[in-house]
Amino acid sequence: MARRKLPRRSRGTDGTLLASLPWSLAAMTLALLPHIPYMAPWIPIMFVGCAVFRWHLERRRRKLPPATLRVILALLGFLGIMAQYGSVNGISPGTALLSVMASLKLLETRLRRDQFVLLFIAIFLVMSSLLREQYLWSMPYLLGAVWLIMTAWLRLAASTEVSARESALTAGRLIAYALPVMLVMWVLFPRISTPFWSIPTAGGSASSGLSDQMSPGDISNLSLSDAVAFRVQFANNPPPPQQRYWRGLVLQRFNGRSWSSPEPSFTSRGLERIRTSGEAINYQVTLEPTQQRWIFALDIPTRWSLTDTAIGPQQQLTRRKPVDNRLIYTASSYTDYQTDVDLSERAQEYYLHLPSGNRKTTEFAHQLRQQFISDSDLINAVMAHFRTEAFYYTLRPPSLGTNPVDRFMFDTRRGFCEHYASAFTVIMRAAGIPARVVLGYQGGEINPLGNYLIVRQSDAHAWSEVWLSGHGWVRIDPTSAVAPERIESGISASRFSDAGLSWGLTAPSQLLHKIGLAWDAINTRWNEWVLGYGPENQTNFLEWLGMHSPDWRKMMLSLVVAVTLLVIAISGFMMLRYRAPRKDAAALLYKRFVRIAGIPSKAGEAPLNYYERLITERPAAATVAKKFIITYLETRYGPPQHTQLAQLKLLLVQFSKIT
Amino acid sequence: MTAEVQNKYIDAALEALGQIILGKSNELALALSCILGRGHLLIEDLPGLGKTTLAQAMARVLGLSYQRIQFTSDLLPADIIGVSVFDRQKGAFQFQPGPIFSQLVLADEVNRATPKAQSALLEAMEEQQVSVDGVSHRLPEPFFVVATQNPSDQIGTFPLPESQLDRFLMRIELGYPKEEDERALLTGQDRRELLSTFDASLDAAQLAALQTAACEMHMSDALLDYVQALIRFTRESSEIETGLSPRGALSLIRAAKAYAFIQRHTGVYPDDIQAVFPAVAGHRMKPADNSIYRSASDLTRHVLDSVAIP
C-alpha cells in the first residue's frame, strides 16, 4: 500500500494567539464551571493544567506537544472516564468526556480555526448544563456565559482595531436580536407530551423526600430540610392549617420496626369507595421530582388532571412511572369524607396484622381493650395517655434498639411524628381496631407574595387512620395530642422539648425570610410558566392569544410567519440603526426649518443659496433665518466644538414664531 | 498667525485685487483660493478681458516674484526653463535659468505654443523642479503658474489635452464686466499704472502660513458624504462621458477648503463645494456625445442641481 505523504502540520507557536487565547480560555472556564460539582475532581484540574500549559507555550513560543503524546493523552482521558463512570452515556459521563477532550484540544490549538472549535464545545457545554437543571437563578449565569463566548468569537473574527468593549457590545446586541426570535420559537414550537428523547436522570443523587417506608428517625431527619416538596395554588381560600393533610403513601405492613407499603397497585378502585360532602377544594400542585411513584393531594382527592395516575384501594394517588421531572397537576379534594364504610373481614384482618415483639405495648393495648368497650373511647384513652403522660415531641429522639415501640412507649417517651403514628397504630391493631399509617405532609406556609402554599420537606408528617365500623377510615393524628401547635401553626411554630435544636426551622431574621418568600414566588412563576409550558399550557396560552383550536400545523405555520416577520423587523431595525448616525440631529432640524419656512428647498440647493431665496419671500424673518442657517452650518459642518444644537433648536422656535 | 491676522491679510489682498479688477469679486476669490490651495490657475477667455492684469495684480499683491512667458508657436522648451551656456573663464557649462524660475509665472496664451513647449511647462508645474543636462534645479517656493488661454475655436492654437488640463486646480473665466464696472474702468486710471502704486499685502512666509491654515479647515463626515455623492453622480450620469477622477475629488476638497477659509467659515460648507465646483470640475469632465449640456458651466450646473445635499 502506497503511503501518501501528507504535509505535516507545523507544531510551532508564534505568539499570534496571545490576544485571543485568554478569551477562549475564559469562555471555556465559564462553560465548565456549572459542571464541576458533578465531575470527578481530576477533570477540572486537568483543564486548568492544559490551559496553563498552553498559555505558557504561547508566551514562550514553544512547540506544541507531538501528535503521539496527544493521542496517548486522549486515550488515557477516555479510559479515565470509563473507569470513573463505567460508560460514556448519560449527562455526567458525557459532559465529563467533552470537558476532557476540550482540555486536550487546547494542546493542539494552533490556529484561529482550532479556537472556533473550542468555542463550539463551550456552547455545547453551556447547553448541556440545561439538561441537568433549569433553575431560574442559573439562567443569567448561562446567558452571561453565552455572551462571553460570543465576545470571544467576535474577538477571534475581528481585526485588531476593534476594542474588547466594542466586541462585547456587538455580542450583546446579537444576543438581544436573537431574544425575540427565541421567545417566539419557544411559545409557538409545538409541544408534545412525550419528549423527543428521554433525558437520562442524574444517577446516584437521590433527591431528599419521603421514601416508601418509615422507620423511627426518618421523618425527623427530613424535618431539618428547607427544600420545597411542592407548591399549591388554591382556586379559592386555602383550608385552615389543621385540615392541610397532604396525603401521600399509605403504609400497611409492620415488621416490628419499620412500616412499609407493598408495591403500590395501579388500579382505580379507590374512587368508588369515597363518599364526600361539603364543598370541593380546587387547587394546582407543582410537585418537585420525588423519584417515587405516588403523588400528593389534599386529603381526600376525588379528581385530578393527570393521565397515567390512579387512586388505589388505600386512596393514594399513584403514577405509572416515578416522578423524575417537576410535575404540575390540578386536583379537587373534600375535607369532609368517608371511605371504605364497608370493609371486608379479610381486609379488616389485614389491617390488624402485627408481628411478634413489642410485647409490653400489646399488653397495654389489651388492658385498654378490656377497660373500654367502644372503639372511640379507646382511641380517646390512648390520645389522653399521650397527652397526660410525660411524652415529648423532639427532633432528636434517642435510638430505640429492638422492640422500638415498647422502648418508646415505656422508656424514652421522646419522639417525632413517626414515633407517635407508629406507636398509635400498633396499639390500635393490638386492640383489634384496623389501623394503618399515612405518610405525607402537614401544613405548609402561605406565601403572601403570589398567595400560594409552600410545602417543604420539613412539613413531612405521618399520622394514623383507624377503621371504625359505620364510619370507615378515620384520621387520627397522635402528634396533635403531644404537640398540638405542630398541627395548628406548622412545624416552625412547634415547641420542641429540646430547645436549641430548632435552629434549622426558624428563619434567622424576618427580612431574610421575606426575601426567601419573594424569591420562591418568582421561582414558582418560573416553574409554572416557563418549565411547565407543556402541551396543555401551550394550548391554553395560544387560545388566550386568539388562536382557535391550536394544533401543530397551525403552530408551525404561525411560527414560520412570526419568525419571518421578526427577521424582517430586526433587519429593518439594524438598517435604521446603521443609517441613524449619518442623519444627525442638525440635519433633521434643518429639514424642519425648511418645512416651517414653507418654501421647499430644491435638490442640491446649498443652505446659503436657500437663504438668499428665502429672504426674498420672507424678508421679515431674515435675521433669525440667517442666524439659524449659520448656526446650522457651523453645527453640522464645523468642528465638534462648534456644535450648538440647543441654540439651533431655540432659533427654530423663534423662526416658527415669526413665520 | 491668529485667525484675526489671517483675515486681515486676506481682506487686504482681496480688496487690493478688487481695485484692479473691477466687479469680479467672485472670480478673484476663486483665484485666491486656488493659490491658497497650492494649485495652478488656468484663465480662459477672449483677449482683452483682463487675464494678464489679474496675473500681474496677484503677483504684486501677494508679493511674489513675477515673470511672463508669452507662448507663441515658435517657443522652445529652453525659452521657458533656461539653457546651459559654456563659460569660457570657468571652462564649464553654466546654467542660465529661464523665466520659469520665479514664484508666479504667467504663461500667456498657453494654447498658442506647440505641445512640446506646453509639456515643458506642465512638467515643471508637476515636478516643482526642472532638469537640464541631467542636473535638477528646484523651482522657487512658492511656485504658481497662471496660464491664460483663448477659447480653442480660434485659428492657430494647440488646445491642451485633458491629461494636462488636469494639472490646473481651477479653470476660471472672467467674462465681460458689468455696465457700471466698465464705466468705472473707462473713466479711471490705467490699470497697469494703478498697479505700480500698490504695495504687497503679503510676503512669501505669510502666504505659506495662510496655505497651511487653509489646508487645516475642518471637513465633517456630512460634507464628505456630499462630495462623494457628487463624484458618484459624475461617474454614473449618462450625460457625462468622463467623470471626476480621485485626483479631481482631492482637488475639489483642496479648493473648497481654501475657499471656505477665505469665506471665514468654521468648516467646509456645501456652499463652498458648490462655489468651487464649476472652476474645479468644469475642465475635468467631458459631456457625453448626446448630452444636452454642451458647455462646462451647463454641465457643472446640472451636476449641482441633480445631487441632493445629504
Side-chain angles (χ1 to χ4, degrees), chain B residues 16 18-22 60 188-199:
Chain B
Q19 284 179 21
I20 311 287
I21 314 289
L22 294 171
R60 179 95 192 171
Q189 225 181 333
D190 176 63
R191 294 293 117 179
R192 303 272 165 92
E193 272 175 36
L194 182 65
L195 187 60
S196 59
T197 65
F198 275 73
D199 287 328

Side-chain angles (χ1 to χ4, degrees), chain A residues 300-312:
Chain A
I300 196 162
T302 53
R303 280 194 310 124
W304 49 94
S305 65
L306 294 168
T307 53
D308 279 354
T309 304
I311 188 159

